[in-house]
Amino acid sequence: MAQYENNAYFWQKLDTLYLSGGVKVVRRKGEHHPEFANLVYPVDYGHLTDTNGIPEGVSVYLGSQSHSRITGLIVAADILKKTLDVKILAGCTKDEEEQVLRFLNQTDYQKTVLIRKGSEIPGWGVSDN
């Protein structure tokens, strides 16, 4: 089962999804959350504009590095909204990743985990051809 964990093919598909559309920034670094004034965005926050199934689009946190490079994902479990949500990190340094995690974990109703981008190619993906 480990061969399916964090492999390059998954990240390649995610890169294609991310780079084939646009990002609409809705909150800038340093802005306060519209509903919770104590929450301050540690990096720019927006949504993918060209995604299906979610009214506002897939969430994206944009760090200080190149926005054309996905650095990881955050998976959030929210018991208040009863949702499981995946958020893309693009151009985030390790410090910015930690800041986003702290930002998203400030409430007892939502907790998150970070998945850093991997580059492993599973054995089943290697071919002699």
Side-chain angles (χ1 to χ4, degrees):
M1 189 63 150
Q3 64 185 351
Y4 291 101
E5 293 178 8
N6 208 3
N7 77 68
Y9 295 122
F10 168 79
W11 294 103
Q12 179 186 47
K13 298 303 178 213
L14 187 59
D15 284 339
T16 301
L17 174 71
Y18 174 71
L19 295 171
S20 66
V23 176
K24 178 181 179 185
V25 175
V26 294
R27 301 278 179 265
R28 294 285 178 192
K29 177 181 178 177
E31 286 186 26
H32 292 264
H33 189 282
E35 295 177 49
F36 307 101
N38 61 315
L39 299 180
V40 178
Y41 285 86
V43 297
D44 290 349
Y45 168 76
H47 300 102
L48 290 183
T49 57
D50 207 14
T51 51
N52 293 322
I54 303 170
E56 63 275 351
V58 175
S59 296
V60 180
Y61 287 87
L62 302 166
S64 60
Q65 307 292 308
S66 171
H67 293 170
S68 64
R69 187 176 159 290
I70 292 175
T71 52
L73 295 174
I74 289 181
V75 180
D78 190 320
I79 61 170
L80 202 58
K81 293 180 182 176
K82 296 189 178 199
T83 60
L84 186 64
D85 190 20
V86 177
K87 303 158 189 310
I88 294 173
L89 298 174
C92 289
T93 64
K94 289 193 186 312
D95 185 54
E96 289 168 333
E97 290 172 348
E98 295 299 322
Q99 289 176 37
V100 173
L101 281 172
R102 281 193 299 277
F103 172 75
L104 293 171
N105 281 296
Q106 290 184 54
T107 171
D108 288 334
Y109 302 109
Q110 175 178 273
K111 293 300 173 195
T112 64
V113 294
L114 170 66
I115 303 170
R116 287 200 169 99
K117 187 172 186 175
S119 59
E120 305 287 321
I121 296 179
W124 54 263
V126 178
S127 168
D128 289 338
N129 298 335

